[in-house]
Amino acid sequence: MQRITTFRTKKAIVMMDNEHLIIEQTKRLSLLFVEDNEPFRTRIVKVLDDYFYRVDTAVDGQEGLEKYNNYYDAKNKHYDLVISDIRMPRMNGVELATEIRTINEMQSIIILSAHTEADYLLSLINLGVAQFITKPVQYPQMFDTLYKVCHKINQAPITPLHPNHIISLTNTIFWDMDKKLLSEQENTITLTKYEILLMELLTKKFEQVCSTDEILSHFYLNNIDVSSDNLRGMMMRLRKKLPEKALNSIYGMGYRLSSVH
């Protein structure tokens, strides 16, 4: 692993102690890396090559989509992970993620994003892209993100375990959209009528951002007048009944309910 160290900052080298944990999650996975900046692409790929079973690259979104489809044609399966920059010629990262989602809605995608690209983030979050690596890349953050995403990929079931009306928040906690019930194994988790209304809307937009205005409108349509301050209190109380990190506040945007498998 000596070759890896030469591409790391001094701060990143402290991750060497946990390197075996990261490699355990990445070593069987295939990766498509899409980035138009050649020096940056080369530098990052030299690191990723030591972790992933296979790393393919593309110079823009158009080539990335072509390689994505060609890989499936050759292997009869999709890449395990796609990492893409946002700003690229011919097809940008948002357009690429949109196209990939139409092909495989379960595809794991990580987006490389500069702080100046915040205008793209809501579109990406609503596409189900939950993980971002900020530029300039800090290796500890990159490895932490890779570990979390790849761990989730490895834990994902091969086939659906539950009917479409069942939302799985963890392996043991579920929301039944038909019965409007939150349960943990065989036990029902008691919700207030306000919390049930929140769960109805949040699960309809599962893994997407639900704006505060959408939530307030949802209550209004159910003849309930709720203020923004009251909503924050409701969200805090609902969060305590859900798995840790399942319900997140997205600053300036709203709230997102997601799986924490």
Side-chain angles (χ1 to χ4, degrees):
M1 288 296 176
Q2 199 64 35
R3 181 161 63 92
I4 302 173
T5 306
T6 61
F7 294 98
R8 294 183 178 179
T9 63
K10 290 182 179 179
K11 185 177 180 181
I13 293 174
V14 300
M15 294 201 64
M16 291 291 287
D17 291 341
N18 296 323
E19 189 164 42
H20 69 285
L21 297 177
I22 300 170
I23 291 176
E24 186 61 32
Q25 298 302 325
T26 59
K27 65 184 181 181
R28 300 177 185 86
L29 304 183
S30 58
L31 166 66
L32 175 63
F33 187 77
V34 189
E35 167 63 56
D36 64 318
N37 184 305
E38 194 278 332
F40 175 74
R41 185 176 64 249
T42 300
R43 175 165 56 90
I44 296 297
V45 167
K46 284 180 178 178
V47 177
L48 297 175
D49 269 336
D50 283 313
Y51 287 84
F52 287 86
Y53 167 73
R54 172 172 177 160
V55 179
D56 292 335
T57 63
V59 300
D60 56 43
Q62 185 65 52
E63 185 184 20
L65 185 60
E66 291 170 2
K67 288 201 171 182
Y68 188 82
N69 288 323
N70 290 340
Y71 183 82
Y72 183 83
D73 290 341
K75 301 290 185 179
N76 198 31
K77 66 177 184 177
H78 298 293
Y79 285 100
D80 295 299
L81 176 62
V82 175
I83 300 178
S84 175
D85 190 20
I86 290 183
R87 295 183 187 272
M88 297 180 293
R90 296 207 293 170
M91 179 185 289
N92 66 36
V94 178
E95 294 167 330
L96 174 61
T98 301
E99 290 292 333
I100 287 176
R101 285 290 187 206
T102 63
I103 298 169
N104 177 16
E105 63 180 11
M106 301 304 293
Q107 179 64 58
S108 295
I109 303 173
I110 297 175
I111 292 293
L112 295 165
S113 168
H115 292 293
T116 57
E117 297 169 333
D119 51 327
Y120 290 100
L121 299 188
L122 181 57
S123 296
L124 288 163
I125 290 171
N126 283 335
L127 281 170
V129 177
Q131 294 292 342
F132 299 86
I133 296 174
T134 55
K135 287 183 171 182
V137 169
Q138 302 296 315
Y139 284 102
Q141 188 230 350
M142 183 181 82
F143 285 120
D144 182 63
T145 300
L146 287 175
Y147 177 80
K148 290 176 181 177
V149 172
C150 293
H151 183 271
K152 189 171 183 178
I153 291 170
N154 289 321
Q155 296 299 313
I158 297 174
T159 56
L161 296 177
H162 308 289
N164 291 335
H165 67 279
I166 301 295
I167 300 291
S168 173
L169 298 176
T170 70
N171 291 329
T172 59
I173 300 179
F174 308 96
W175 170 255
D176 188 320
M177 299 178 72
D178 290 346
K179 296 180 180 179
K180 300 177 184 178
L181 287 176
L182 182 67
S183 60
E184 183 170 11
Q185 296 178 339
E186 300 296 323
N187 302 313
T188 299
I189 299 173
T190 303
L191 300 178
T192 67
K193 66 177 183 179
Y194 297 145
E195 291 167 347
I196 290 173
L197 283 172
L198 285 173
M199 287 297 294
E200 282 183 314
L201 184 58
L202 291 168
T203 51
K204 283 180 181 178
K205 300 197 67 173
F206 196 59
E207 302 281 3
Q208 299 180 22
V209 175
C210 190
S211 72
T212 300
D213 287 342
E214 286 180 287
I215 298 172
L216 294 178
S217 176
H218 182 62
F219 275 103
Y220 179 78
L221 292 173
N222 284 274
N223 300 314
I224 300 172
D225 188 17
V226 174
S227 69
S228 297
D229 289 338
N230 289 339
L231 179 59
R232 282 192 288 271
M234 289 180 196
M235 287 294 186
M236 289 178 61
R237 290 188 289 274
L238 177 59
R239 186 177 285 121
K240 292 178 181 178
K241 298 180 180 181
L242 296 173
E244 186 178 1
K245 298 181 180 180
L247 179 58
N248 293 289
S249 174
I250 310 299
Y251 181 74
M253 298 181 186
Y255 298 87
R256 182 179 71 230
L257 183 67
S258 57
S259 169
V260 289
H261 289 288

